């Protein structure tokens, strides 16, 4: 009999978890407290149900080829970066194509998930749910928590003296939907992440003035790169990742900062990173319009807020902004698992106690997986799908993880080092996209074998190593292999350029691509390069940075 798996949430992570269960002949039952799929991506005009939803104007930060399910590409006419409606349509298409909707119980809230008395032997869970006031209890062999990390708004009012006597409107970004109602007002946005930047830009078109307060500063990147190609596809590549691992961090940092300041000097715009802020990876946001808004004066960058008065904000640099009408906190969210008992409830909020950010370290049986509680430098969707593929195979006993005693000992040792300041919290920074996905893929047996590919299929190997690291790469071999993966990789640039080709100019032509000739010599060039790199590390430092930029992505 197939093992029964409870999937909590029918958002991006929940849908892939349902499918992965079916792929492994498991029996999923998904509990979704709203009336539709999509979770965060299902837009509603209000947030009265307590669920976090996207604001109306949201546009994806990761292009379609990098943020699709690995065996279900976007339609070729979809734009490269989508608004929430287009992306939700894609999720609906995915659910219908793989017939996932029949496994979802809508308007059902999970009240508790507890171990059964014989958990140490069976690994089973008691799951109590509530549907329209009626409670139900069921036994499951495994549980996949896919509720995401946008549940509880973080509103740190205690960190802002005087905020309680402020007479204007105070709200969290979770409550923000559309710019209506902010006309002619002076708005202070606190927090410069992706959401803070988006809201500040949108309100700058209607508000009298927008002030954007940041404590640390950030690097601002565009959705497009040189030549107008999606930046994700140009940057997230295996050969870039290989070079980044070989180069000294100081040189890599210098190269990155030099390139980021090429579009505009962040120091001149008040966006440069505060000195003394230690991050393994520099903080970045994606925003095409923020520099222009700052240039035009519709958005003013400010330091962190020192205190509030009834109508004004006093900043750390001593400046004062009077007549503030609205304060919007874009200060993120906190993890919450109200359906768990202690100590599991607290332990799951600490990433250091989640093995590979998936399996809690304290469980005797690995029958609980946390899907989607990650922060990556690339698509979260691709990461959560691989997490689900790995988790379902662990449930079946096809993949093994270390015993709980060993995992807990290692996690507690790291926690002590962090508390003593001898180690940086690994959960504080975004994980490297390729490194993390390759790590999970190696457990499953689906990590692309580059040397073997160069021998068997040089054309494909060239695209895998030198081209964008799209999710299709993890369907080329091993469990869950998809026959369409090779073609999806070789045609990914066709789908990228298709929605742009809406006007054909007579007499125009496309010159032969330089990479057409490079592909024929791909394997010899790669082997020679690797040999040179191995023999002389200094070789990397002498490679002109602009070489790759001069080569068409084709």
């Amino acid at each position: 009999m197939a093992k029964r798996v409870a999937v909590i949430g029918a958002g991006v992570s929940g849908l892939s978890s349902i499918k992965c269960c079916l792929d492994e002949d498991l029996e999923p039952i998904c509990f979704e407290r709203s009336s539709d799929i999509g979770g965060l991506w299902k837009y509603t005009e209000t947030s009265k149900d307590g669920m976090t939803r996207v604001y109306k104007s949201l546009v994806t930060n990761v292009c379609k080829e990098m943020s699709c399910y690995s065996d279900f590409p976007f339609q070729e006419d979809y734009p490269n970066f989508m608004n929430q409606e287009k992306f939700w349509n894609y999720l609906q298409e995915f659910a219908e194509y793989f017939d996932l909707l029949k496994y979802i119980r809508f308007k059902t809230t999970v009240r508790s998930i507890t171990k059964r008395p014989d958990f140490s032997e069976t690994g089973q869970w008691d799951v109590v749910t509530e549907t329209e006031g009626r409670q139900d209890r069921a036994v499951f062999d495994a549980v996949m928590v896919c509720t995401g990390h946008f549940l509880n708004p973080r509103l740190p009012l205690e960190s802002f003296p005087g905020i309680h006597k402020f007479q204007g409107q105070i709200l969290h970004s979770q409550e923000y939907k559309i710019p209506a109602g902010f006309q002619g007002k002076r708005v202070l946005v606190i927090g410069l992440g992706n959401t803070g930047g988006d809201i500040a830009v949108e309100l700058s078109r209607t508000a009298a003035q927008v002030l954007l307060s940041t404590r640390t500063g950030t690097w601002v990147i565009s959705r497009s790169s040189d030549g107008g190609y999606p930046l994700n596809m140009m940057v997230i590549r295996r050969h870039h990742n290989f070079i980044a691992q070989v180069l000294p961090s100081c040189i890599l940092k210098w190269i990155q900062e030099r390139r980021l300041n090429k579009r505009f000097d962040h120091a001149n715009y008040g966006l440069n990173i505060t000195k003394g802020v230690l991050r393994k990876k520099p903080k970045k946001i994606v925003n095409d319009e923020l520099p222009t808004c700052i240039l035009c004066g519709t958005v003013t960058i400010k330091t962190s807020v020192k205190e509030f008065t009834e109508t004004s904000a006093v900043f750390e640099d001593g400046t004062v902004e009077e007549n503030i009408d609205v304060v919007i906190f874009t200060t993120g969210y906190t993890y919450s698992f109200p359906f768990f008992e202690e100590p599991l409830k607290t332990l799951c909020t600490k990433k250091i106690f989640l093995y590979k950010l998936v399996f809690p370290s304290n469980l005797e049986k690995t029958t609980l997986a946390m899907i989607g509680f990650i922060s990556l430098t690339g698509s979260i969707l691709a990461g959560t799908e691989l997490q689900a593929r790995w988790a379902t195979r662990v449930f079946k006993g096809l993949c093994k993880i270390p015993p709980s005693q060993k995992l807990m000992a290692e996690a507690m040792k790291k926690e002590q080092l962090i508390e003593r300041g001898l180690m940086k919290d690994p959960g504080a920074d975004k994980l490297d996209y390729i490194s993390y996905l390759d790590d999970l893929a190696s457990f499953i047996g689906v990590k692309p074998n580059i040397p073997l590919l160069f021998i068997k299929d040089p054309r494909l190997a060239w695209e895998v190593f030198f081209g964008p690291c799209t999710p299709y790469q993890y369907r080329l071999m091993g469990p869950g292999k998809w026959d369409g993966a090779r073609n999806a990789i070789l045609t990914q640039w066709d789908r990228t350029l298709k929605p742009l080709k809406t006007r054909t100019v007579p007499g125009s032509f496309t010159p032969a691509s330089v990479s057409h000739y490079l592909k024929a010599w791909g394997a010899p060039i790669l082997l020679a390069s690797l040999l040179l790199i191995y023999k002389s590390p200094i070789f990397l430092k002498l490679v002109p940075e602009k070489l790759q930029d001069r080569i068409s992505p084709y």
Side-chain angles (χ1 to χ4, degrees), residues 23 148 164 173 182 199 213 221 227 243 249 261 265 301 308 324 329 343 369 394 411 424 447 533:
D23 289 343
H164 295 293
S173 56
F182 294 90
I199 292 177
S213 171
I221 60 178
I243 294 173
S249 58
N261 275 322
D265 191 318
I301 301 298
F308 284 93
I324 303 296
F329 285 87
V394 169
K424 194 174 184 298
K447 180 182 175 181
I533 291 170

Side-chain angles (χ1 to χ4, degrees), residues 526-545:
L526 176 63
L527 293 174
S529 299
L530 292 178
L531 182 61
L532 284 171
I533 291 170
Y534 176 75
K535 293 294 184 183
S536 178
I538 296 177
F539 176 79
L540 275 177
K541 302 175 185 178
L542 302 178
V543 176
E545 183 188 5

Side-chain angles (χ1 to χ4, degrees), residues 9-62:
V12 168
S13 304
L15 292 176
S16 61
S17 294
I18 297 171
K19 179 182 177 295
C20 289
C21 284
L22 297 174
D23 289 343
E24 295 296 341
D25 296 320
L26 301 173
E27 181 186 335
I29 299 179
C30 178
F31 302 108
E32 169 57 46
R33 63 172 172 163
S34 71
S35 58
D36 213 334
I37 65 168
L40 179 76
W41 290 95
K42 180 62 178 178
Y43 174 77
T44 58
E45 294 183 356
T46 65
S47 297
K48 292 181 180 179
D49 58 1
M51 295 184 66
T52 301
R53 311 283 192 175
V54 294
Y55 36 94
K56 186 67 174 177
S57 61
L58 182 68
V59 175
T60 57
N61 289 334
V62 183

